[in-house]
């Protein structure tokens, strides 16, 4: 009952916003090219989403047909770049972060460079990325990797450095080797931080993918809304934006579900 | 359990901490002999160096001078022959109860079957069977401390070092665990060095209580407690000893309080 009331109150404001938006259009207060009505956005959304051909079993499976529309193709393109970039950036950041957190020497060697590079927004790498990688997926993936790299790195370093020393003392007391200390104590103790870093990194990767598609790639959700602007298709722009929003929400939900599943032992700041 | 040769031997131990530009003489000229199977309590007000002495025996923080030997061998580092139980439990929160208990045996490289059997035995011994798959966050303080004790028992250390292990527990749980500890001690024949600031706890548990002084930490008095176990905390001899220890301790507590008033950094 409480849950139902919660959901009900949760859709109140969005419904009011849509009603207000519809009112603006219906009363003719705003030009339809500038702000199309919600109904028109919805219709365009469906047209953007649905398959262009009729279903033909000879062409492949039903699922493939379902995803053959422009929007699913764009979304998959964007998602693909996000994932590849995230795994490259995060995959490089994780071992470096572990090493920097564990060893003062490695930290001392890398930290100055990291501190200089970190404040450069990934977007500032666009000219260089095009110069180096041309157009298409490679520069986009490069930019996304940079976006994912720093959040994962910084959080991993903090995670390792903040391992409560009492756990290390228990490990030494039980006779753990340095290797066992690292794999069975430091690494699991740092995972809450690492997952936080991964979640932030994923969020950054998602922002960067949209930007990079506006510049270097000719498909994907970011490309599509920029293309729609050239034809003054504001309904498609808005449909694309909502798609981006929903996809981002989906990714974040998956990340947070995954981390609360893997961290079911964790309970925030208290310690066991 | 020969009871003849000294098991743990602390000789002329000093510990000086540098704190800013000031030296803190945490331990001064400590001599302490503990025999096999003995239950010794270190008693004193907070800040008198009990943890420092225990950590030195554990090998976490070696003395500035003097020697500590176990069965004649000098201590240079922590080791599984001296299992430690902390006041904060210090269970690994990412491991279940059984994984926590098994950890020390895995480090030793014991066979899977051996580990399983030992874990089962300890779960039974400490009444933890129903909790084996729980994570520490889902256990009460008393349960957590049982797991921490089981974790140390798993590696079969002949010596158990305990730093105010029951200090954070409520009175009933505390008494309950004290009884369990005495039962385990009798059954397993461990040597126990137990830190507490509770007079009653020391009198209830120990064969011998070592009272420490505050700043510098020295041994003020050693008191052998001959009362038969289980001890009756309401009996006249118990209360007589309690009064004696209270007086000794109050003098140290007063110095501690005066120090605090003078603004000397404490802890
Ligand atoms: N690492 C340290 N650095 C500086 N001073 C310390 C350190 N550890 C303990 N001390 C000081 O040594 C004294 C004894 O501390 P401790 O052994 O923890 O006392 P207890 O366990 O009896 O409460 C205290 O005055 C404390 O402030
Ligand atoms: Mg202490």
């Amino acid at each position: 009952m409480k849950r139902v009331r919660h959901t009900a109150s949760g859709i109140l404001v969005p419904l009011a916003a849509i009603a207000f938006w519809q009112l603006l259009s219906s009363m003719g207060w705003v030009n339809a090219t500038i702000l199309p009505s919600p109904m028109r956005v919805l219709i365009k959304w469906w047209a953007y989403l649905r398959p262009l051909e009729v279903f033909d079993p000879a062409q492949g499976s039903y699922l493939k047909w379902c995803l053959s529309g422009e929007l699913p193709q764009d979304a998959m393109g964007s998602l693909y770049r996000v994932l590849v970039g995230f795994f490259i950036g995060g995959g490089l950041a994780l071992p470096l972060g572990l090493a920097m957190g564990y060893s003062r020497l490695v930290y001392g060697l890398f930290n100055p460079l990291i501190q200089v590079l970190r404040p450069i927004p990934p977007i500032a790498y666009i000219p260089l990325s095009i110069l180096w990688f041309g157009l298409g997926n490679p520069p986009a993936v490069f930019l996304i990797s940079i976006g994912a790299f720093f959040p994962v790195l910084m959080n991993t370093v903090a995670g390792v450095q903040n391992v409560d020393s009492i756990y290390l003392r228990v490990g030494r007391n039980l006779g753990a080797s340095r290797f066992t200390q690292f794999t069975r104590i430091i690494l699991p103790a740092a995972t809450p931080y690492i997952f936080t870093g991964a979640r932030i990194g994923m969020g950054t990767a998602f922002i960067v993918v949209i930007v990079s598609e506006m510049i270097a790639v000719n498909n994907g959700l970011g490309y599509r809304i920029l293309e729609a602007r050239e034809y003054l298709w504001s309904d498609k722009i808005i449909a694309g934006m909502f798609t981006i929003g929903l996809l981002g929400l989906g990714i974040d939900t998956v990340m947070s579900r995954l981390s609360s599943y893997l961290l079911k032992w964790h309970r925030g700041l208290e310690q066991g | 359990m020969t009871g003849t040769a000294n098991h743990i031997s602390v000789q002329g131990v000093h510990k000086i901490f540098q704190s800013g530009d000031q030296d803190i003489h945490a331990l001064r000229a400590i001599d302490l002999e503990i025999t096999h199977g003995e239950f010794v309590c270190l008693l004193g007000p907070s800040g008198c160096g009990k943890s420092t002495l225990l950590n030195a025996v554990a090998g976490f923080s070696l003395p500035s001078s003097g020697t500590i030997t176990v069965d004649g061998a000098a201590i240079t580092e922590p080791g599984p022959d001296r299992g430690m139980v902390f006041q904060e439990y210090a269970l690994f929160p990412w491991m279940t109860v059984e994984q926590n208990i098994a950890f020390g045996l895995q480090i030793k490289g014991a066979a899977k079957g051996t580990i399983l059997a030992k874990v089962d035995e300890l779960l039974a011994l400490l009444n933890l069977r129903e909790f084996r798959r729980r994570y520490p966050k889902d256990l009460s303080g008393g349960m957590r401390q049982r797991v921490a004790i089981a974790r140390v028992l798993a590696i079969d250390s002949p010596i158990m070092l305990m730093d105010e292990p029951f200090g954070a527990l409520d009175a009933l749980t505390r008494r309950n665990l004290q009884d369990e500890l005495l039962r385990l001690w009798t059954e397993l024949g461990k040597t126990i060095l137990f830190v507490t600031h509770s007079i009653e706890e020391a009198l209830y548990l120990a064969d011998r209580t070592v009272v420490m002084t505050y700043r510098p930490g020295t041994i003020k008095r050693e008191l052998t407690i001959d009362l038969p176990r289980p001890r009756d905390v309401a009996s006249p001899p118990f209360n007589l000893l309690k009064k004696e220890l209270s007086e000794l301790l109050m003098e140290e507590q007063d110095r501690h309080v005066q120090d605090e008033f003078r603004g000397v950094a404490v802890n």
Side-chain angles (χ1 to χ4, degrees), chain A residues 81 133-141 216-218:
Chain A
R81 283 181 276 275
F133 299 102
L135 293 176
N137 273 342
V141 166
V217 196
N218 56 12

Side-chain angles (χ1 to χ4, degrees), chain B residues 47-100:
Chain B
C48 73
K50 306 182 295 293
S51 297
T52 305
L53 180 54
L54 202 71
N55 281 325
V57 176
F60 288 127
S61 165
L62 298 176
S64 309
S65 66
T67 57
I68 302 177
T69 59
V70 169
D71 292 332
I75 284 167
T76 55
E77 57 177 11
D81 60 325
R82 284 154 283 138
M84 181 106 165
V85 177
F86 300 87
Q87 177 173 5
E88 313 87 316
Y89 321 124
L91 297 177
F92 299 119
W94 54 90
M95 295 185 190
T96 60
V97 165
E98 53 185 354
Q99 288 167 339
N100 264 289

Side-chain angles (χ1 to χ4, degrees), chain A residues 21-105:
Chain A
W21 176 10
Q22 181 67 51
L23 190 73
L24 285 180
S25 321
S26 308
M27 305 300 283
W29 289 339
V30 289
N31 183 335
T33 314
I34 290 175
L35 187 66
S37 74
M39 210 51 212
R40 266 190 55 198
V41 169
L42 213 60
I43 291 165
K44 191 67 178 190
W45 208 343
W46 170 244
Y48 181 25
L49 182 80
R50 68 164 223 276
L52 299 172
E53 321 278 330
V54 285
F55 178 54
D56 172 9
Q59 295 290 316
S61 72
Y62 185 69
L63 182 69
K64 191 176 159 203
W65 175 75
C66 277
L67 295 176
S68 69
E70 197 179 28
L71 182 146
Q73 289 298 312
D74 283 337
M76 287 193 310
S78 298
L79 199 59
Y80 170 78
R81 283 181 276 275
V82 165
L83 291 179
V84 173
F86 174 78
F87 280 108
I88 292 175
L92 292 170
L94 183 64
L96 180 61
L98 292 174
M100 282 175 70
Y102 187 67
S103 152
R104 277 170 183 277
L105 176 71

Side-chain angles (χ1 to χ4, degrees), chain A:
Chain A
M1 201 53 219
K2 216 170 175 177
R3 218 190 143 95
V4 174
R5 278 224 334 249
H6 218 76
T7 322
S9 66
I11 58 174
L12 220 61
V13 171
L15 274 181
I18 291 171
F20 179 66
W21 176 10
Q22 181 67 51
L23 190 73
L24 285 180
S25 321
S26 308
M27 305 300 283
W29 289 339
V30 289
N31 183 335
T33 314
I34 290 175
L35 187 66
S37 74
M39 210 51 212
R40 266 190 55 198
V41 169
L42 213 60
I43 291 165
K44 191 67 178 190
W45 208 343
W46 170 244
Y48 181 25
L49 182 80
R50 68 164 223 276
L52 299 172
E53 321 278 330
V54 285
F55 178 54
D56 172 9
Q59 295 290 316
S61 72
Y62 185 69
L63 182 69
K64 191 176 159 203
W65 175 75
C66 277
L67 295 176
S68 69
E70 197 179 28
L71 182 146
Q73 289 298 312
D74 283 337
M76 287 193 310
S78 298
L79 199 59
Y80 170 78
R81 283 181 276 275
V82 165
L83 291 179
V84 173
F86 174 78
F87 280 108
I88 292 175
L92 292 170
L94 183 64
L96 180 61
L98 292 174
M100 282 175 70
Y102 187 67
S103 152
R104 277 170 183 277
L105 176 71
V106 178
Y107 186 84
L109 286 173
F110 281 89
N111 193 46
L113 180 64
I114 300 292
Q115 291 307 332
V116 173
L117 294 181
R118 192 168 66 107
I120 305 174
I123 294 157
Y125 285 88
I126 286 174
L128 209 56
S129 73
I130 292 175
L131 212 58
W132 286 356
F133 299 102
L135 293 176
N137 273 342
V141 166
F142 172 72
L143 293 172
I144 297 161
S145 310
I146 290 173
F149 181 82
F150 288 100
V152 175
L153 181 75
M154 302 324 286
N155 282 280
T156 305
V157 173
V160 174
Q161 287 178 343
N162 285 316
V163 173
D164 194 328
S165 67
I166 199 159
Y167 299 135
L168 301 175
R169 297 212 297 165
V170 173
R172 287 172 65 202
N173 186 240
L174 296 174
S177 64
R178 283 171 73 89
F179 179 75
T180 306
Q181 290 258 32
F182 188 79
T183 55
R184 305 262 338 250
I185 298 176
I186 293 174
L187 206 54
T191 46
Y193 281 83
I194 296 174
F195 285 172
T196 302
R199 197 169 158 191
I200 300 171
M202 192 57 113
T204 316
F206 195 69
I207 293 169
V208 178
V209 77
I210 301 302
V211 176
S212 70
E213 284 169 351
M214 290 181 164
I215 286 136
V217 196
N218 56 12
N219 63 61
L221 296 166
Y223 169 78
R224 201 62 64 198
I225 59 174
L226 205 66
E227 182 199 51
R229 191 212 54 159
E230 291 184 19
Y231 300 101
L232 302 179
W233 289 339
S234 49
D235 46 3
K236 192 169 182 180
I237 295 177
I238 296 173
M241 286 171 62
F242 277 117
T243 309
I244 291 169
L246 290 175
L247 192 63
L249 178 66
I251 291 176
D252 196 58
T253 308
V254 168
M255 292 297 280
S256 93
R257 287 276 165 81
L258 190 70
S259 96
S260 53
Y261 172 74
L262 291 170
L263 296 179
K264 54 181 184 291
W265 54 267
H266 191 58
R267 55 155 179 195
L269 293 171
E270 289 174 85
Q271 45 184 262

